[in-house]
Structure formats: structure tokens, C-alpha cells
Amino acid sequence: MKHLLIIAIALVAFSCNSKAQDTTKKTENTSFSVVKTDTEWKEALSPLAYNVLREAGTERPFSSPINKNYKTGIYVCAACAAPLFESEHKFDSGTGWPSFDREIEGNVAFDTDNNLGYIRTEEHCATCGGHLGHVFSDGPKATTGKRHCINGAALKFIPTKDE
């Protein structure tokens, strides 16, 4: 009887209607100031950038040249050019994705993601809704303690004029 109760609880907890099964794109929200049709996004973005920004995909670790970029400048959204991160807040996390200890406040939106069966904080461009990555609490303790783990395909780097 005890085993049946455990199985029943597990079935309720992991029902087929869980949020992880939700296929609605969060990025189709029309409250963003930059809104395009799916066709327009496909024309404007590379296949990888489209997969990351519009379909919440993840690029392979260590595949982005932005990961090892140490120049001074600003990182903007690859879809709409909204400024998202400053180079002075970038650090090498060893994870294979560009990492920052803070975002440009107001330009990054946060949401809950439980697609892997546990809760993570997902990051989106606040201007166009493009998926950027996730934020974790294992960043540099000397600064914010946060690690914004961002797909390089979601970013474009704009160097300062001195670089």
C-alpha cells in the first residue's frame, strides 16, 4: 500500500501537463518594444542565433568566440542591439559560455524555467524577448555572487573606440 501511495504522488507531481511540456513560446509576448514575426526573425538571424534567441536553444560549450573575448566594450542583444552586459563584468567561469557577474539593469528580464526538471532563472532581452541564458548563484563572491551564463550566439560585441 505504501508503494502505491508513493507511485500515485509521483504521477501527480510529474503529470503530462507539467510546465516542462508547455510548448508556448514565452518570446511571442507582444509587450516587447521590438516585435517581429517568426519569418522576420528567421531572415534577420543566423540559424544558431534563431535557435538560441527564439527557440530557447543552447549553443555547444566552448564554441563561441565571445567566450574568450577580453576586449573592452559592451555586449548587445544579437537580435535587437539592446545593451545587455558590460565587458568589465565579464569573467571566465570555465563553463564554456560567456559569463558576467551582473547585467545592465532594466535591459534583461528574468523568468522561471523548469524544463530540465528543476527550477532555474532564465534570462531574456527585455527589449525583444530573446532567450539569453540562465543566471546562477555560483559567481564571484567578491562581487555579486551571480553567474549570468549567456549563449554567445545571443550576443554581439561592440568594442570601445579605443580598442
Side-chain angles (χ1 to χ4, degrees), residues 37-49:
T37 66
D38 196 48
T39 302
E40 289 172 324
W41 284 123
K42 283 181 179 177
E43 290 173 359
L45 300 169
S46 71
L48 176 60

Side-chain angles (χ1 to χ4, degrees), residues 15-35:
S15 72
C16 292
N17 293 326
S18 74
K19 199 166 167 80
Q21 302 285 328
D22 186 3
T23 58
T24 305
K25 289 184 185 178
K26 294 175 191 170
T27 55
E28 290 180 354
N29 184 341
T30 56
S31 66
F32 297 111
S33 60
V34 173
V35 178

Side-chain angles (χ1 to χ4, degrees), residues 10-11 57 68 71 75-76 82 94 102-103 111-112 114 118 121-122 134 150 156 162:
L11 287 174
K68 293 294 185 180
K71 296 178 181 174
Y75 294 85
V76 302
R102 70 197 75 176
E103 78 282 4
D111 200 359
T112 301
N114 62 0
Y118 60 93
T121 302
E122 186 174 8
H134 295 85
I150 308 300
K156 286 187 181 174
D162 297 342

Side-chain angles (χ1 to χ4, degrees), residues 141-152:
K141 301 270 186 257
T143 60
T144 64
K146 301 289 182 193
R147 174 175 54 96
H148 297 261
C149 187
I150 308 300
N151 288 283

Side-chain angles (χ1 to χ4, degrees), residues 53-71:
L53 287 157
R54 308 318 305 171
E55 298 178 317
T58 302
E59 68 189 3
R60 287 186 347 266
F62 302 101
S63 64
S64 172
I66 287 177
N67 186 41
K68 293 294 185 180
N69 178 31
Y70 299 110
K71 296 178 181 174

Side-chain angles (χ1 to χ4, degrees), residues 52 113 121-124 130-136 149-151 154:
V52 168
D113 169 13
T121 302
E122 186 174 8
E123 298 184 74
H124 298 273
H131 169 79
L132 303 173
H134 295 85
V135 62
F136 302 96
C149 187
I150 308 300
N151 288 283

